[in-house]
DNA sequence: GCGACAG
DNA sequence: ATCTTGTCGC
């Protein structure tokens, strides 16, 4: 029998109301582990994860691409198509994308050393963004790398690759992420802890997996793959309907 | 009531 | 995020 290597060590109902979703976040956020990894150089493979959607059908197309450093060439990929049962609500993204991403991860034959998500981790109103959520469910190292801000205040980082400024909760002054410049003359990205590493290490992962574009290579590849399977699915649907 | 708001 | 053409700039 084939062992399922990538499966959550804990789970919960995904068929919930927005109110219940917030309660789950407030409960699970206590399990986020910000202990630094003992040795970042032991991270050999990074999985980029992303989801695209079909406007009409509301279907989710999840993609995970496992890459190996130092060049971050893809070594394995997996996808999943699932109809969304939850709407997009700022702060509750993981309840929309989570089920499809979990299914895609379950298809992998090799466990990546770390998950890199297209979204926030701790830089979230309840400190439990997508990267924290799946990191905790899989009990696996995870990083959040978002293109836009969800919450927190910050200054603009210097226009030099690697430059970053703290993203803080203005009320508590808590450090929740790092606004990080990956390329000169390009808008910075929002990096935050997902699970089982430090903010410095999360930043380092994003910078190391970045090549010549704004976003880390694993995320770019997952983004492309999710779009590919979506377009393929929509084309197949057209051909069967006509 | 008004503005903000990952994907 | 998706729907969409061309267009400005390195």
């Amino acid at each position: 029998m084939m062992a399922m290597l990538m499966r959550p060590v804990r789970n919960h109902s995904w068929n919930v109301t927005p109110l219940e979703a917030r309660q789950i976040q407030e409960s699970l956020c206590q399990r986020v582990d910000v202990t630094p990894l003992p040795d970042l150089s032991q991270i050999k493979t990074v999985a980029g994860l992303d989801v695209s959607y079909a406007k009409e059908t509301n279907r989710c197309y999840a993609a995970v691409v496992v890459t190996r450093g130092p060049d971050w060439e893809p070594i394995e990929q997996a996808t999943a198509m699932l109809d969304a049962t939850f709407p997009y609500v700022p702060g509750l993204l993981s309840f929309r994308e989570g089920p499809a991403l979990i299914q895609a991860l379950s298809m992998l034959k090799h466990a990546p050393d770390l998950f890199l998500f297209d979204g926030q981790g701790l830089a979230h109103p309840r400190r439990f963004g997508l990267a924290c959520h799946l990191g905790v469910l899989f009990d696996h190292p995870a990083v959040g790398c978002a293109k836009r801000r969800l919450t927190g205040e910050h200054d603009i980082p210097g226009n030099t690759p690697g430059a970053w400024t703290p993203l803080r909760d203005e009320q508590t002054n808590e450090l929740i992420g790092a606004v990080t410049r990956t390329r000169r003359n390009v808008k910075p990205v929002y990096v935050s802890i997902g699970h089982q590493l430090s903010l410095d290490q999360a930043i380092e992962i994003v910078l190391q997996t970045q090549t010549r574009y704004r976003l880390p290579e694993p995320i770019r590849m997952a983004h492309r793959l999710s779009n590919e399977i979506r377009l393929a699915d929509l084309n197949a649907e057209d051909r069967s309907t006509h």
Side-chain angles (χ1 to χ4, degrees), chain A residues 59-211:
Chain A
R59 179 168 290 186
C60 294
Y61 300 87
V64 50
V65 177
V66 182
T67 62
R68 172 175 276 117
D71 299 320
W72 314 109
E73 294 289 320
I75 60 174
E76 186 183 3
Q77 62 182 46
T79 62
M81 298 184 286
L82 218 56
D83 289 318
T85 61
F86 202 92
Y88 171 67
V89 179
L92 300 179
L93 177 65
S94 58
F95 286 87
R96 182 166 172 76
E97 301 193 343
L101 287 171
I102 290 173
Q103 184 175 321
L105 284 169
S106 76
M107 309 296 290
L108 291 178
K109 290 156 55 180
H110 302 292
D113 295 328
L114 178 146
F115 297 153
L116 184 50
F117 290 95
D118 183 12
Q120 316 287 357
L122 282 181
H124 176 279
R126 289 168 291 283
R127 308 292 176 267
F128 201 65
L130 175 66
C132 295
H133 199 153
L134 292 208
V136 165
L137 292 191
F138 282 83
D139 195 32
H140 209 69
V143 170
C145 179
K147 297 180 291 298
R148 300 189 303 183
R149 185 192 72 97
L150 173 60
T151 190
E153 307 300 326
H154 66 86
D155 292 332
I156 306 300
N159 191 12
T160 303
W164 65 273
T165 55
L167 178 66
R168 324 191 104 93
D169 180 308
E170 207 171 38
Q171 304 306 307
T172 66
N173 206 40
E174 174 187 5
L175 179 63
I176 60 177
V179 186
T180 308
R181 189 82 65 179
T182 55
R183 297 280 292 175
R184 184 178 297 274
N185 300 328
V186 169
K187 288 194 304 180
V189 296
Y190 294 79
V191 180
S192 57
I193 291 173
H195 195 49
Q196 294 181 347
L197 43 49
S198 67
L199 178 58
D200 285 341
Q201 292 175 327
I203 296 169
E204 194 57 32
I205 289 290
V206 167
L207 292 176
Q208 284 185 359
T209 56
Q210 186 263 354
T211 57

Side-chain angles (χ1 to χ4, degrees), chain A residues 219-239:
Chain A
I219 289 181
R220 295 187 66 250
M221 291 189 282
H223 192 270
R224 273 186 307 177
L225 181 56
S226 66
N227 277 319
E228 282 176 12
I229 63 172
R230 175 172 54 87
L231 295 177
D233 186 50
L234 295 179
N235 285 330
E237 195 169 293
D238 278 353
R239 273 182 280 105

